[in-house]
Amino acid sequence: METTRYSQTLTLSPEDNKRLLGLCGRCDEHLHLIENRLSVDIKQRGYTFSISGEVTAVKQAVKTLTDLYDETETVRMLAPKHVHLHIKSLQTQPDKDKASHRMDIHLRRSNIVARGENQIHYIRNIQQHDINFGIGPAGTGKTYLAVACAVQALEAERVSRIILVRPIVEAGEKLGFLPGDLAQKVHPYLRPLYDALYEMLGIDKVAHLIEHDIIELAPLAYMRGRSLNDSFIILDEGQNTTIEQMKMFLTRIGFNSKAVITGDTTQIDLNNRKDSGLVHALDVLKEIEGISITQFQASDVVRHPLVQSIVQAYEQHLNKNSSSK
């Protein structure tokens, strides 16, 4: 049975050649991306676009073109990732009242938009609870959004510092063989957090804040014996903590502090999965009021479309092997 083709014409305004170039991309790469992702045909003549395909896909393409053209008012040259993320957010939002299913993190340098229901739920949990767990596969935005929330809290002066923590070298934290001071030793392991901070604050600003201990970078072992007040603390790669380390970290939380623990329970580097402090904590703390757990799925991946397919393939392979035993 053939699907009925539907066509719609869209004319963008105001006319601005630079914004139009930013929307279409070099050699119309953004238009081709929209065509491929939504299975539509797009014909362009100046500021007028004719889109044809399945009715839902056409409406999504029209909204994508309209919204992205609006974005070019502040972002002159869009990147393919902007197109991908926008389409992803459209496909994961429920049809009802999409305006109410939007969550932005407003920063001085940029505006971070949540993509999909789980990201919105995650941000709301971080805003409302003191201890938050973000669990799920790579590419779901759990670490990036935690850093964005931390920067927002710092800029709004709700906290006085950001503390970034990570278990180092498969939770063994053997840093002595690495060259340099502590910050230089830890830097490779905190690279994803650094990259997010650089994007949101700028390299010079991050360096200044680190120099003045407003942003602190620390291996998990260095948290022992401390009490952290007025802080936004992020523990990344939580699946590689031991049970004792996780308990130690969670009991460091002081007054007016917020903690976010991120991790992927399928990427445990410990010799015994049962030793993971994250897995243990999710079981022990699930009923405690004031602690939230956001579980991301492969469908929440917001990186390159192939990343989502790879994550799903591994999940299916794991489930197949588990069921055959």
Side-chain angles (χ1 to χ4, degrees), residues 111-173:
N111 189 44
I112 311 297
V113 181
R115 309 290 179 175
E117 285 297 293
N118 269 340
Q119 285 199 358
I120 293 172
H121 181 65
Y122 183 50
I123 295 171
R124 285 179 178 157
N125 278 342
I126 292 175
Q127 292 173 343
Q128 295 170 7
H129 298 87
D130 291 336
I131 297 179
N132 303 270
F133 289 85
I135 314 300
T140 51
K142 55 189 184 294
T143 299
Y144 184 83
L145 291 176
V147 174
C149 289
V151 171
Q152 184 186 51
L154 183 67
E155 291 182 343
E157 299 183 355
R158 292 196 295 271
V159 298
S160 60
R161 57 182 172 168
I162 297 173
I163 302 175
L164 307 176
V165 185
R166 200 174 186 187
I168 307 300
V169 189
E170 300 184 359
E173 304 178 9

Short mmCIF file of all heavy atoms in Angstrom, two decimals, residues 111-173:
data_model
loop_
_atom_site.label_atom_id
_atom_site.label_comp_id
_atom_site.label_asym_id
_atom_site.label_seq_id
_atom_site.Cartn_x
_atom_site.Cartn_y
_atom_site.Cartn_z
N ASN A 111 22.52 29.41 25.49
CA ASN A 111 21.27 28.88 25.99
C ASN A 111 21.22 27.39 25.67
O ASN A 111 21.24 27.01 24.50
CB ASN A 111 20.08 29.62 25.34
CG ASN A 111 18.76 29.27 25.98
OD1 ASN A 111 18.67 29.20 27.20
ND2 ASN A 111 17.75 29.05 25.17
N ILE A 112 21.19 26.54 26.68
CA ILE A 112 21.19 25.09 26.48
C ILE A 112 19.74 24.61 26.49
O ILE A 112 19.00 24.87 27.43
CB ILE A 112 21.97 24.37 27.60
CG1 ILE A 112 23.36 25.02 27.81
CG2 ILE A 112 22.09 22.89 27.28
CD1 ILE A 112 24.26 24.94 26.63
N VAL A 113 19.35 23.90 25.44
CA VAL A 113 17.98 23.42 25.30
C VAL A 113 17.94 21.91 25.54
O VAL A 113 18.71 21.16 24.93
CB VAL A 113 17.40 23.74 23.91
CG1 VAL A 113 15.96 23.25 23.80
CG2 VAL A 113 17.48 25.24 23.63
N ALA A 114 17.07 21.48 26.42
CA ALA A 114 16.91 20.04 26.67
C ALA A 114 16.29 19.37 25.45
O ALA A 114 15.41 19.92 24.81
CB ALA A 114 16.01 19.82 27.89
N ARG A 115 16.78 18.17 25.15
CA ARG A 115 16.30 17.42 23.98
C ARG A 115 15.61 16.15 24.45
O ARG A 115 16.25 15.19 24.86
CB ARG A 115 17.48 17.05 23.07
CG ARG A 115 18.38 18.22 22.69
CD ARG A 115 17.69 19.18 21.74
NE ARG A 115 18.56 20.31 21.40
CZ ARG A 115 18.24 21.24 20.52
NH1 ARG A 115 17.08 21.21 19.89
NH2 ARG A 115 19.08 22.24 20.28
N GLY A 116 14.29 16.16 24.45
CA GLY A 116 13.55 14.96 24.81
C GLY A 116 13.08 14.98 26.25
O GLY A 116 13.57 15.73 27.11
N GLU A 117 12.12 14.10 26.54
CA GLU A 117 11.48 14.06 27.85
C GLU A 117 12.44 13.72 28.98
O GLU A 117 12.36 14.29 30.07
CB GLU A 117 10.33 13.04 27.83
CG GLU A 117 9.11 13.51 27.08
CD GLU A 117 8.48 14.73 27.74
OE1 GLU A 117 7.97 14.61 28.86
OE2 GLU A 117 8.54 15.82 27.14
N ASN A 118 13.37 12.78 28.76
CA ASN A 118 14.27 12.39 29.84
C ASN A 118 15.24 13.51 30.22
O ASN A 118 15.57 13.68 31.39
CB ASN A 118 15.04 11.12 29.46
CG ASN A 118 14.31 9.87 29.91
OD1 ASN A 118 13.45 9.91 30.79
ND2 ASN A 118 14.63 8.75 29.30
N GLN A 119 15.70 14.27 29.23
CA GLN A 119 16.57 15.40 29.54
C GLN A 119 15.82 16.47 30.33
O GLN A 119 16.35 17.06 31.28
CB GLN A 119 17.18 15.99 28.27
CG GLN A 119 18.27 15.15 27.66
CD GLN A 119 19.14 15.94 26.69
OE1 GLN A 119 18.91 17.12 26.43
NE2 GLN A 119 20.16 15.29 26.15
N ILE A 120 14.57 16.73 29.94
CA ILE A 120 13.75 17.69 30.68
C ILE A 120 13.53 17.22 32.10
O ILE A 120 13.69 17.99 33.07
CB ILE A 120 12.39 17.89 29.96
CG1 ILE A 120 12.60 18.59 28.61
CG2 ILE A 120 11.43 18.70 30.84
CD1 ILE A 120 11.35 18.66 27.76
N HIS A 121 13.21 15.95 32.26
CA HIS A 121 12.99 15.35 33.59
C HIS A 121 14.27 15.44 34.42
O HIS A 121 14.23 15.75 35.63
CB HIS A 121 12.57 13.89 33.41
CG HIS A 121 12.29 13.16 34.67
ND1 HIS A 121 11.25 13.48 35.52
CD2 HIS A 121 12.93 12.11 35.25
CE1 HIS A 121 11.25 12.66 36.56
NE2 HIS A 121 12.27 11.83 36.42
N TYR A 122 15.40 15.19 33.79
CA TYR A 122 16.71 15.23 34.46
C TYR A 122 17.01 16.63 35.00
O TYR A 122 17.40 16.79 36.17
CB TYR A 122 17.76 14.80 33.45
CG TYR A 122 19.18 14.70 33.92
CD1 TYR A 122 19.53 14.00 35.08
CD2 TYR A 122 20.22 15.26 33.17
CE1 TYR A 122 20.85 13.88 35.48
CE2 TYR A 122 21.54 15.14 33.56
CZ TYR A 122 21.85 14.46 34.72
OH TYR A 122 23.17 14.33 35.11
N ILE A 123 16.82 17.65 34.17
CA ILE A 123 17.10 19.02 34.60
C ILE A 123 16.18 19.44 35.73
O ILE A 123 16.60 20.06 36.72
CB ILE A 123 16.96 19.99 33.40
CG1 ILE A 123 18.03 19.70 32.35
CG2 ILE A 123 17.07 21.45 33.87
CD1 ILE A 123 17.85 20.46 31.06
N ARG A 124 14.90 19.09 35.62
CA ARG A 124 13.95 19.43 36.69
C ARG A 124 14.34 18.74 38.00
O ARG A 124 14.25 19.34 39.08
CB ARG A 124 12.54 19.03 36.27
CG ARG A 124 11.94 19.99 35.25
CD ARG A 124 10.56 19.57 34.84
NE ARG A 124 9.98 20.52 33.89
CZ ARG A 124 9.02 20.24 33.04
NH1 ARG A 124 8.51 19.01 33.00
NH2 ARG A 124 8.55 21.16 32.21
N ASN A 125 14.78 17.50 37.92
CA ASN A 125 15.21 16.79 39.11
C ASN A 125 16.41 17.49 39.75
O ASN A 125 16.48 17.63 40.98
CB ASN A 125 15.58 15.35 38.78
CG ASN A 125 14.37 14.44 38.71
OD1 ASN A 125 13.31 14.76 39.22
ND2 ASN A 125 14.53 13.30 38.08
N ILE A 126 17.36 17.90 38.94
CA ILE A 126 18.55 18.59 39.46
C ILE A 126 18.16 19.89 40.16
O ILE A 126 18.71 20.25 41.21
CB ILE A 126 19.57 18.86 38.33
CG1 ILE A 126 20.16 17.53 37.83
CG2 ILE A 126 20.68 19.79 38.80
CD1 ILE A 126 21.07 17.67 36.63
N GLN A 127 17.21 20.58 39.58
CA GLN A 127 16.76 21.84 40.18
C GLN A 127 16.03 21.63 41.50
O GLN A 127 16.11 22.47 42.40
CB GLN A 127 15.86 22.60 39.20
CG GLN A 127 16.58 23.11 37.96
CD GLN A 127 15.64 23.71 36.93
OE1 GLN A 127 14.43 23.50 36.97
NE2 GLN A 127 16.19 24.46 35.99
N GLN A 128 15.35 20.50 41.64
CA GLN A 128 14.47 20.30 42.78
C GLN A 128 15.08 19.44 43.89
O GLN A 128 14.61 19.49 45.04
CB GLN A 128 13.16 19.65 42.32
CG GLN A 128 12.34 20.54 41.40
CD GLN A 128 11.18 19.81 40.75
OE1 GLN A 128 10.90 18.65 41.07
NE2 GLN A 128 10.50 20.47 39.82
N HIS A 129 16.12 18.65 43.60
CA HIS A 129 16.67 17.73 44.58
C HIS A 129 18.14 18.03 44.86
O HIS A 129 18.84 18.59 44.02
CB HIS A 129 16.53 16.28 44.11
CG HIS A 129 15.12 15.84 43.92
ND1 HIS A 129 14.43 16.03 42.73
CD2 HIS A 129 14.24 15.23 44.76
CE1 HIS A 129 13.20 15.55 42.85
NE2 HIS A 129 13.06 15.06 44.07
N ASP A 130 18.60 17.63 46.03
CA ASP A 130 19.99 17.88 46.43
C ASP A 130 20.95 16.84 45.88
O ASP A 130 22.11 17.15 45.62
CB ASP A 130 20.09 17.93 47.96
CG ASP A 130 19.42 19.15 48.55
OD1 ASP A 130 19.28 20.16 47.82
OD2 ASP A 130 19.01 19.10 49.72
N ILE A 131 20.50 15.60 45.74
CA ILE A 131 21.35 14.54 45.21
C ILE A 131 20.63 13.91 44.03
O ILE A 131 19.47 13.51 44.13
CB ILE A 131 21.66 13.48 46.27
CG1 ILE A 131 22.47 14.10 47.42
CG2 ILE A 131 22.44 12.31 45.66
CD1 ILE A 131 22.82 13.13 48.54
N ASN A 132 21.32 13.83 42.90
CA ASN A 132 20.70 13.36 41.66
C ASN A 132 21.61 12.37 40.95
O ASN A 132 22.83 12.58 40.87
CB ASN A 132 20.44 14.55 40.72
CG ASN A 132 19.57 15.61 41.37
OD1 ASN A 132 18.37 15.56 41.27
ND2 ASN A 132 20.20 16.57 42.04
N PHE A 133 21.01 11.32 40.43
CA PHE A 133 21.73 10.33 39.64
C PHE A 133 21.25 10.42 38.19
O PHE A 133 20.04 10.41 37.93
CB PHE A 133 21.48 8.91 40.17
CG PHE A 133 22.14 8.62 41.49
CD1 PHE A 133 21.51 8.96 42.68
CD2 PHE A 133 23.38 8.01 41.54
CE1 PHE A 133 22.10 8.69 43.91
CE2 PHE A 133 23.99 7.73 42.76
CZ PHE A 133 23.35 8.08 43.94
N GLY A 134 22.19 10.49 37.26
CA GLY A 134 21.89 10.42 35.83
C GLY A 134 22.54 9.18 35.27
O GLY A 134 23.78 9.11 35.17
N ILE A 135 21.74 8.19 34.90
CA ILE A 135 22.25 6.88 34.50
C ILE A 135 21.88 6.62 33.04
O ILE A 135 20.74 6.83 32.64
CB ILE A 135 21.65 5.76 35.37
CG1 ILE A 135 21.70 6.14 36.86
CG2 ILE A 135 22.37 4.44 35.11
CD1 ILE A 135 23.07 6.40 37.39
N GLY A 136 22.84 6.15 32.25
CA GLY A 136 22.50 5.82 30.88
C GLY A 136 23.71 5.76 29.98
O GLY A 136 24.84 6.04 30.41
N PRO A 137 23.50 5.40 28.72
CA PRO A 137 24.62 5.21 27.78
C PRO A 137 25.27 6.52 27.37
O PRO A 137 24.75 7.61 27.63
CB PRO A 137 23.94 4.53 26.58
CG PRO A 137 22.51 4.96 26.65
CD PRO A 137 22.20 5.09 28.12
N ALA A 138 26.41 6.40 26.72
CA ALA A 138 27.14 7.57 26.23
C ALA A 138 26.28 8.35 25.24
O ALA A 138 25.51 7.77 24.48
CB ALA A 138 28.44 7.12 25.56
N GLY A 139 26.44 9.66 25.27
CA GLY A 139 25.76 10.50 24.28
C GLY A 139 24.37 10.94 24.66
O GLY A 139 23.67 11.54 23.84
N THR A 140 23.92 10.67 25.89
CA THR A 140 22.57 11.06 26.30
C THR A 140 22.54 12.44 26.95
O THR A 140 21.48 12.94 27.31
CB THR A 140 21.97 10.03 27.27
OG1 THR A 140 22.91 9.78 28.32
CG2 THR A 140 21.68 8.73 26.53
N GLY A 141 23.71 13.05 27.15
CA GLY A 141 23.77 14.41 27.67
C GLY A 141 23.79 14.51 29.19
O GLY A 141 23.71 15.61 29.73
N LYS A 142 23.95 13.39 29.87
CA LYS A 142 23.85 13.42 31.33
C LYS A 142 24.96 14.24 31.98
O LYS A 142 24.71 14.98 32.94
CB LYS A 142 23.81 11.99 31.89
CG LYS A 142 24.96 11.09 31.48
CD LYS A 142 24.73 9.66 31.90
CE LYS A 142 25.94 8.78 31.57
NZ LYS A 142 26.15 8.66 30.11
N THR A 143 26.19 14.13 31.48
CA THR A 143 27.30 14.90 32.04
C THR A 143 27.24 16.36 31.58
O THR A 143 27.41 17.29 32.38
CB THR A 143 28.64 14.28 31.64
OG1 THR A 143 28.71 12.95 32.16
CG2 THR A 143 29.80 15.10 32.19
N TYR A 144 26.98 16.56 30.31
CA TYR A 144 26.93 17.91 29.75
C TYR A 144 25.86 18.76 30.44
O TYR A 144 26.11 19.91 30.81
CB TYR A 144 26.62 17.81 28.25
CG TYR A 144 26.64 19.13 27.51
CD1 TYR A 144 27.83 19.68 27.07
CD2 TYR A 144 25.46 19.82 27.25
CE1 TYR A 144 27.85 20.89 26.38
CE2 TYR A 144 25.46 21.02 26.57
CZ TYR A 144 26.67 21.56 26.13
OH TYR A 144 26.67 22.76 25.47
N LEU A 145 24.69 18.19 30.65
CA LEU A 145 23.61 18.95 31.30
C LEU A 145 23.91 19.20 32.77
O LEU A 145 23.53 20.25 33.31
CB LEU A 145 22.28 18.19 31.16
CG LEU A 145 21.71 18.11 29.75
CD1 LEU A 145 20.45 17.25 29.72
CD2 LEU A 145 21.40 19.49 29.19
N ALA A 146 24.59 18.26 33.42
CA ALA A 146 24.98 18.48 34.81
C ALA A 146 25.94 19.66 34.92
O ALA A 146 25.81 20.51 35.82
CB ALA A 146 25.64 17.21 35.38
N VAL A 147 26.90 19.74 33.98
CA VAL A 147 27.83 20.87 33.98
C VAL A 147 27.07 22.17 33.70
O VAL A 147 27.33 23.21 34.33
CB VAL A 147 28.94 20.65 32.93
CG1 VAL A 147 29.82 21.89 32.81
CG2 VAL A 147 29.79 19.45 33.30
N ALA A 148 26.11 22.13 32.77
CA ALA A 148 25.32 23.33 32.46
C ALA A 148 24.55 23.81 33.69
O ALA A 148 24.50 25.02 33.97
CB ALA A 148 24.36 23.05 31.31
N CYS A 149 23.96 22.89 34.42
CA CYS A 149 23.24 23.26 35.64
C CYS A 149 24.19 23.83 36.69
O CYS A 149 23.83 24.76 37.42
CB CYS A 149 22.50 22.04 36.21
SG CYS A 149 21.08 21.50 35.23
N ALA A 150 25.40 23.28 36.76
CA ALA A 150 26.39 23.79 37.71
C ALA A 150 26.81 25.21 37.35
O ALA A 150 26.90 26.09 38.23
CB ALA A 150 27.61 22.87 37.72
N VAL A 151 27.06 25.46 36.08
CA VAL A 151 27.45 26.80 35.63
C VAL A 151 26.32 27.80 35.89
O VAL A 151 26.55 28.93 36.35
CB VAL A 151 27.83 26.78 34.13
CG1 VAL A 151 28.03 28.20 33.61
CG2 VAL A 151 29.10 25.96 33.92
N GLN A 152 25.08 27.38 35.61
CA GLN A 152 23.94 28.25 35.86
C GLN A 152 23.84 28.61 37.35
O GLN A 152 23.61 29.77 37.71
CB GLN A 152 22.65 27.57 35.40
CG GLN A 152 21.41 28.44 35.54
CD GLN A 152 20.14 27.68 35.21
OE1 GLN A 152 19.90 26.60 35.72
NE2 GLN A 152 19.32 28.25 34.33
N ALA A 153 24.03 27.62 38.21
CA ALA A 153 23.97 27.87 39.66
C ALA A 153 25.09 28.80 40.11
O ALA A 153 24.88 29.67 40.97
CB ALA A 153 24.04 26.54 40.41
N LEU A 154 26.27 28.66 39.52
CA LEU A 154 27.40 29.53 39.87
C LEU A 154 27.14 30.96 39.40
O LEU A 154 27.38 31.91 40.16
CB LEU A 154 28.69 28.98 39.25
CG LEU A 154 29.97 29.74 39.60
CD1 LEU A 154 30.30 29.58 41.09
CD2 LEU A 154 31.14 29.24 38.74
N GLU A 155 26.67 31.10 38.17
CA GLU A 155 26.40 32.44 37.64
C GLU A 155 25.29 33.15 38.40
O GLU A 155 25.31 34.38 38.54
CB GLU A 155 26.06 32.35 36.14
CG GLU A 155 27.24 31.95 35.27
CD GLU A 155 26.91 31.91 33.79
OE1 GLU A 155 25.70 31.88 33.44
OE2 GLU A 155 27.84 31.91 32.97
N ALA A 156 24.32 32.38 38.89
CA ALA A 156 23.22 32.96 39.66
C ALA A 156 23.59 33.12 41.14
O ALA A 156 22.76 33.58 41.94
CB ALA A 156 21.98 32.08 39.54
N GLU A 157 24.84 32.75 41.49
CA GLU A 157 25.35 32.86 42.86
C GLU A 157 24.54 32.04 43.87
O GLU A 157 24.46 32.37 45.04
CB GLU A 157 25.42 34.33 43.31
CG GLU A 157 26.35 35.16 42.44
CD GLU A 157 26.47 36.60 42.93
OE1 GLU A 157 25.77 36.97 43.89
OE2 GLU A 157 27.28 37.34 42.34
N ARG A 158 23.97 30.93 43.38
CA ARG A 158 23.30 29.99 44.29
C ARG A 158 24.31 29.09 44.97
O ARG A 158 24.03 28.52 46.02
CB ARG A 158 22.26 29.17 43.53
CG ARG A 158 21.05 29.98 43.04
CD ARG A 158 19.90 29.08 42.66
NE ARG A 158 20.20 28.23 41.52
CZ ARG A 158 20.01 28.57 40.25
NH1 ARG A 158 19.51 29.77 39.96
NH2 ARG A 158 20.31 27.74 39.27
N VAL A 159 25.48 28.92 44.35
CA VAL A 159 26.60 28.21 44.96
C VAL A 159 27.85 29.07 44.78
O VAL A 159 27.89 29.96 43.92
CB VAL A 159 26.83 26.81 44.34
CG1 VAL A 159 25.61 25.92 44.55
CG2 VAL A 159 27.16 26.91 42.85
N SER A 160 28.88 28.79 45.56
CA SER A 160 30.10 29.59 45.48
C SER A 160 31.22 28.88 44.72
O SER A 160 32.24 29.49 44.40
CB SER A 160 30.60 29.95 46.89
OG SER A 160 30.87 28.78 47.64
N ARG A 161 31.02 27.60 44.41
CA ARG A 161 32.05 26.89 43.66
C ARG A 161 31.48 25.64 43.00
O ARG A 161 30.42 25.13 43.38
CB ARG A 161 33.21 26.50 44.59
CG ARG A 161 32.79 25.65 45.78
CD ARG A 161 33.96 25.34 46.69
NE ARG A 161 33.52 24.69 47.91
CZ ARG A 161 34.32 24.10 48.77
NH1 ARG A 161 35.62 24.07 48.53
NH2 ARG A 161 33.83 23.55 49.87
N ILE A 162 32.22 25.16 42.01
CA ILE A 162 31.90 23.91 41.32
C ILE A 162 33.04 22.94 41.59
O ILE A 162 34.22 23.29 41.45
CB ILE A 162 31.75 24.13 39.80
CG1 ILE A 162 30.58 25.08 39.51
CG2 ILE A 162 31.56 22.80 39.08
CD1 ILE A 162 30.48 25.48 38.04
N ILE A 163 32.69 21.73 41.97
CA ILE A 163 33.70 20.70 42.24
C ILE A 163 33.45 19.53 41.30
O ILE A 163 32.37 18.95 41.29
CB ILE A 163 33.66 20.24 43.71
CG1 ILE A 163 33.89 21.44 44.64
CG2 ILE A 163 34.72 19.16 43.96
CD1 ILE A 163 33.75 21.10 46.11
N LEU A 164 34.45 19.20 40.50
CA LEU A 164 34.35 18.12 39.53
C LEU A 164 35.19 16.94 40.01
O LEU A 164 36.39 17.07 40.26
CB LEU A 164 34.85 18.59 38.16
CG LEU A 164 34.20 19.88 37.63
CD1 LEU A 164 34.84 20.30 36.32
CD2 LEU A 164 32.70 19.70 37.46
N VAL A 165 34.57 15.79 40.13
CA VAL A 165 35.21 14.63 40.74
C VAL A 165 35.07 13.44 39.80
O VAL A 165 34.05 13.27 39.13
CB VAL A 165 34.54 14.29 42.09
CG1 VAL A 165 35.29 13.15 42.79
CG2 VAL A 165 34.46 15.51 42.99
N ARG A 166 36.12 12.60 39.81
CA ARG A 166 36.05 11.40 38.99
C ARG A 166 36.95 10.32 39.58
O ARG A 166 38.06 10.62 40.04
CB ARG A 166 36.50 11.71 37.56
CG ARG A 166 36.01 10.68 36.54
CD ARG A 166 36.35 11.11 35.13
NE ARG A 166 35.76 10.21 34.16
CZ ARG A 166 35.99 10.27 32.86
NH1 ARG A 166 36.80 11.20 32.38
NH2 ARG A 166 35.42 9.44 32.03
N PRO A 167 36.49 9.07 39.59
CA PRO A 167 37.40 7.99 39.98
C PRO A 167 38.44 7.81 38.87
O PRO A 167 38.10 7.79 37.70
CB PRO A 167 36.49 6.76 40.09
CG PRO A 167 35.32 7.08 39.21
CD PRO A 167 35.16 8.57 39.23
N ILE A 168 39.68 7.72 39.25
CA ILE A 168 40.78 7.70 38.27
C ILE A 168 41.36 6.30 38.12
O ILE A 168 41.58 5.59 39.10
CB ILE A 168 41.90 8.67 38.71
CG1 ILE A 168 41.31 10.06 38.98
CG2 ILE A 168 42.99 8.74 37.66
CD1 ILE A 168 40.64 10.70 37.80
N VAL A 169 41.62 5.92 36.88
CA VAL A 169 42.26 4.65 36.52
C VAL A 169 41.53 3.47 37.17
O VAL A 169 41.99 2.86 38.13
CB VAL A 169 43.75 4.62 36.94
CG1 VAL A 169 44.43 3.39 36.35
CG2 VAL A 169 44.46 5.87 36.48
N GLU A 170 40.34 3.19 36.64
CA GLU A 170 39.52 2.06 37.08
C GLU A 170 39.31 2.06 38.60
O GLU A 170 39.41 1.03 39.26
CB GLU A 170 40.16 0.73 36.64
CG GLU A 170 40.29 0.62 35.15
CD GLU A 170 40.83 -0.73 34.71
OE1 GLU A 170 41.10 -1.57 35.57
OE2 GLU A 170 40.96 -0.94 33.50
N ALA A 171 39.05 3.24 39.14
CA ALA A 171 38.75 3.44 40.57
C ALA A 171 39.96 3.22 41.46
O ALA A 171 39.88 3.38 42.67
CB ALA A 171 37.61 2.54 41.04
N GLY A 172 41.14 2.88 40.90
CA GLY A 172 42.32 2.70 41.72
C GLY A 172 43.00 4.01 42.05
O GLY A 172 43.71 4.13 43.02
N GLU A 173 42.83 5.03 41.18
CA GLU A 173 43.32 6.38 41.39
C GLU A 173 44.83 6.42 41.60
O GLU A 173 45.35 7.12 42.46
CB GLU A 173 42.58 7.03 42.57
CG GLU A 173 41.08 7.03 42.36
CD GLU A 173 40.32 7.62 43.53
OE1 GLU A 173 40.95 8.17 44.43
OE2 GLU A 173 39.10 7.52 43.52
#
